[in-house]
Amino acid sequence: MTASLGALGAQVERASHRPLGPGSIVWLVSYPKSGNTWVRAIISGLLSSEPAFSVNHLGGGLQPFHVGGAMPTLGLDPRWLDRAELAQLRTTLINNSQTGTGSPVVPIFRKTHEVYSGGDPVREPFPRRATRAVILIVRDPREIVGSFADFFAISTAEAVAAVTHGPPAGPASPALRRTEQRWGSWSEHADSWLAADLPFPVHAVRYEDLHHDAQGVLSPVLAAVGLEFGEAALEQAVGRARFDRLVGDEARSGFRETSARSARFFRSGQTQRWRTELAAELVSAIEDEHARMMGILGYRLSADLCRQRVSNPETRLLPEVAGGDERHTH
Amino acid sequence: MLVDPSGGIKVSAYPITPPSRDTIAQLEAALRYGWGEPLSLARRGFLLLAAASVVAPSGNAVLVLAGDPYHLAIAISQLCQRGGWHLLADHPAPLTWVEAGGVPHLVAHPRSAPLLMSLGRAQAEAQEGSQVRGDTDVVAVEVPRASEPCRVAAFLSLGKQLPGEADFRLLHGTERFASAGRSLLGGVLRPGASATADFAITARLAALPMAQLGLTGGIAPEVMARLLDWWESVGGQEAGSLR
């Protein structure tokens, strides 16, 4: 059980209680701009024995839609394959990549923003035989849109439309050595990973809870997926991945994973900025579309917060997440 | 297996109808260039880099272009179209070390695989291309070719230009080792590889004149001019042919 699950829905709770899958890959799953890179930075710090930390040397950043690894692994140039063969190649590469070391086998962490989809074992996008578990990082969709707009150099309204209805899927491209990549809408994304029929455990953590207490939230989750570590090491890793350090590292040496359209990857890392930055009609547009999933994940709608304030005028509009508030600024 | 109403049985390797001649030709090319040739070169002892090789207009020296195939194709196309260069090998590039005067020299070898490019990029480059498979966005484009082994004079690392990063710059110090190391292909394309061998190869590659080109699309004329100035300055014109 994760530290934050107390405030999350039963659907989320059940998803974390399945037995571990047979593989060694732990998928770090999130909708874009939800803290995936930050969590990777913490885990990279935890797994690394290097005293120095560089934002350009984070592990787990190779997303599964990239199939360029077929050249060294199989001697196969993916540019000569058609799109259906590319999907099959993706599954093969993931299955081949998951041979871990150690006893018990150390988990291999890999990032993805895609929606979950199953299917034929020959071309499963997230092969069950390679997968051990999932860590699903979720973030308030009202908060995501600011970062999303900045990263893709689009307006906030366009970002709201993308998060609300789902941006077009990135098409399969042998030329770019990529399979199709579909994010879906914010709700569709979370729904797909929290579905009852997934064959491996899914540990949902909220960005806002991580922001409040990253060590407290991650410690039980990392233990549950089979990573052996000491609390002191995790504390140190969380400290090394402090947001202001990531921002400073990017300012000094750039960040290879940033968008060509964006001047920076790491913004403020704050929570609750949407309350002052997002227009009321855009808040409504998000809440109208995602109310159900926001409820499941413990994000209160503005109307509920207003009712709370009307019934008790002394109540400030504090964040609704478990234990989270605006005091924490890392 | 098809069973006709009279009870006859026909066994076919194909589900419904056999593929057309064009499809078979495409499959043969894919098998040859996309799998058989790189493996064959690796097993015959060639060093394969995640790179392409182009021969300078003088015909005397090779520039190794290291990077992902998408960016390589842009640079190759523009060097060939605008600068009179010839493609020796598209990604992956086969190379060997040759002793000459007691000093190891890197020699690039030709491949017959066509230059592959994304359909969209080929259109942007005004290149005619033919699709290499039925359902793909990859086309094979025609560029001037070289067919003889030739000595490598310099190494250019290519990639996406990050915000705030220079479009063209020389590489120094550890950057050279990092860039050389990234170009090594491992796994089945490096039979018998070891950490010691990798280090030795990386060190030799890092000794070459080395620069980095960041791309956001094509190569701007002023950037191309700086690239060609650098090429002139690193002795590309003087490097001898090693036929």
Side-chain angles (χ1 to χ4, degrees), chain A:
Chain A
M1 181 184 290
T2 70
S4 61
L5 280 178
L8 301 182
Q11 180 184 353
V12 181
E13 178 84 30
R14 278 196 300 274
S16 69
H17 286 163
R18 299 181 195 115
L20 291 173
S24 54
I25 294 177
V26 174
W27 297 105
L28 290 177
V29 176
S30 73
Y31 204 72
K33 310 313 292 176
S34 298
N36 201 314
T37 304
W38 178 34
V39 172
R40 277 174 52 222
I42 295 171
I43 293 173
S44 292
L46 188 57
L47 296 176
S48 168
S49 54
E50 297 288 322
F53 176 83
S54 166
V55 76
N56 283 315
H57 293 96
L58 302 183
L62 179 67
Q63 296 200 48
F65 65 85
H66 284 292
V67 292
M71 186 56 111
T73 308
L74 306 168
L76 183 65
D77 186 342
R79 296 176 300 165
W80 287 96
L81 302 183
D82 67 20
R83 289 185 171 92
E85 291 162 346
L86 220 53
Q88 229 169 307
L89 176 63
R90 166 182 170 142
T91 305
T92 303
L93 287 176
I94 294 170
N95 282 330
N96 283 357
S97 74
Q98 62 98 29
T99 309
T101 56
S103 179
V105 174
V106 176
I108 297 168
F109 294 91
R110 289 191 64 177
K111 163 187 177 169
T112 181
H113 293 314
E114 294 176 52
V115 293
Y116 177 76
S117 56
D120 181 348
V122 176
R123 52 175 67 92
E124 270 182 304
F126 299 95
R128 60 186 67 195
R129 106 170 153 82
T131 299
R132 176 179 297 187
V134 170
I135 299 175
L136 172 65
I137 306 152
V138 293
R139 189 180 189 186
D140 190 326
R142 295 164 295 196
E143 201 67 44
I144 287 174
V145 291
S147 297
F148 201 95
D150 200 35
F151 188 76
F152 293 106
I154 56 178
S155 69
T156 309
E158 288 169 322
V160 168
V163 167
T164 300
H165 304 296
S173 166
L176 294 173
R177 305 183 297 170
R178 290 177 174 181
T179 63
E180 185 186 63
Q181 184 192 195
R182 202 166 72 80
W183 298 343
S185 72
W186 182 83
S187 287
E188 190 185 356
H189 184 272
D191 240 343
S192 76
W193 287 101
L194 293 171
D197 59 350
L198 258 69
F200 30 72
V202 177
H203 299 271
V205 297
R206 280 188 301 214
Y207 180 91
E208 294 78 5
D209 295 331
L210 289 167
H211 193 262
H212 172 59
D213 178 12
Q215 184 175 356
V217 171
L218 284 180
S219 180
V221 174
L222 294 176
V225 301
L227 187 67
E228 293 183 343
F229 60 93
E231 285 298 329
L234 180 57
E235 185 181 357
Q236 193 179 24
V238 168
R240 284 160 71 181
R242 242 176 38 204
F243 214 84
D244 58 319
R245 292 186 175 167
L246 299 178
V247 170
D249 212 15
E250 180 179 21
R252 273 190 302 278
S253 53
F255 184 34
R256 70 174 75 226
E257 296 178 33
T258 200
S259 146
R261 287 169 281 184
S262 175
R264 65 202 165 139
F265 183 90
F266 298 105
R267 296 172 83 229
S268 72
Q270 297 292 305
T271 61
Q272 306 300 322
R273 283 178 57 154
W274 66 271
R275 291 170 190 271
T276 52
E277 291 184 353
L278 202 57
E281 66 270 20
L282 295 179
V283 172
S284 297
I286 294 171
E287 293 184 352
D288 289 350
E289 187 67 25
H290 300 296
R292 186 185 72 83
M293 185 49 72
M294 287 175 74
I296 289 171
L297 294 171
Y299 294 114
R300 284 194 208 153
L301 306 182
S302 307
D304 297 336
L305 291 167
C306 287
R307 270 197 296 277
Q308 182 187 3
R309 189 165 57 165
V310 168
S311 64
N312 180 5
E314 297 301 308
T315 307
R316 278 184 59 220
L317 278 180
L318 285 175
E320 62 278 17
V321 294
D325 65 33
E326 289 156 314
R327 291 168 300 179
H328 307 283
T329 54
H330 75 76

Side-chain angles (χ1 to χ4, degrees), chain B:
Chain B
M1 188 169 74
L2 304 171
V3 181
D4 66 35
S6 63
I9 294 174
K10 183 181 174 189
V11 177
S12 169
Y14 307 110
I16 300 169
T17 52
S20 67
R21 279 175 184 275
D22 284 350
T23 303
I24 290 173
Q26 287 176 347
L27 287 168
E28 285 174 351
L31 188 62
R32 176 179 174 188
Y33 299 127
W35 192 53
E37 192 180 79
L39 276 178
S40 168
L41 288 164
R43 289 181 185 190
R44 283 185 283 144
F46 287 89
L47 168 66
L48 290 172
L49 294 185
S53 54
V54 285
V55 178
S58 65
N60 287 337
V62 161
L63 175 61
V64 168
L65 306 168
D68 69 87
Y70 179 82
H71 289 114
L72 295 181
I74 295 172
I76 293 166
S77 169
Q78 300 211 350
L79 282 167
C80 292
Q81 280 190 338
R82 289 157 47 177
W85 294 63
H86 290 70
L87 175 65
L88 189 62
D90 189 16
H91 181 284
L95 301 119
T96 52
W97 297 100
V98 174
E99 292 285 336
V103 180
H105 293 281
L106 190 58
V107 173
H109 295 264
R111 285 187 64 198
S112 51
L115 175 63
L116 300 185
M117 190 174 255
S118 81
L119 178 60
R121 194 64 227 174
Q123 287 166 345
E125 299 281 323
Q127 292 269 18
E128 294 277 330
S130 57
Q131 218 166 294
V132 298
R133 295 294 303 277
D135 182 20
T136 186
D137 60 348
V138 175
V139 291
V141 297
E142 295 287 332
V143 290
R145 304 292 301 237
S147 58
E148 296 292 335
C150 191
R151 182 163 145 186
V152 175
F155 184 106
L156 181 66
S157 180
L158 291 166
K160 180 180 78 172
Q161 185 185 4
L162 295 177
E165 194 178 69
D167 40 24
F168 177 79
R169 69 185 182 92
L170 303 188
L171 293 179
H172 301 284
T174 55
E175 292 176 328
R176 304 164 65 81
F177 286 88
S179 191
R182 276 197 302 275
S183 72
L184 296 187
L185 284 168
V188 296
L189 297 180
R190 289 282 314 285
S194 67
T196 310
D198 280 1
F199 181 79
I201 293 168
T202 303
R204 282 181 174 185
L205 289 173
L208 288 165
M210 204 175 268
Q212 176 178 291
L213 179 64
L215 295 170
T216 51
I219 306 174
E222 65 276 15
V223 178
M224 178 66 90
R226 272 188 280 146
L227 166 59
L228 296 178
D229 283 348
W230 168 72
W231 171 256
E232 295 284 333
S233 71
V234 296
Q237 298 296 328
E238 284 77 41
S241 172
L242 289 180
R243 294 188 174 189

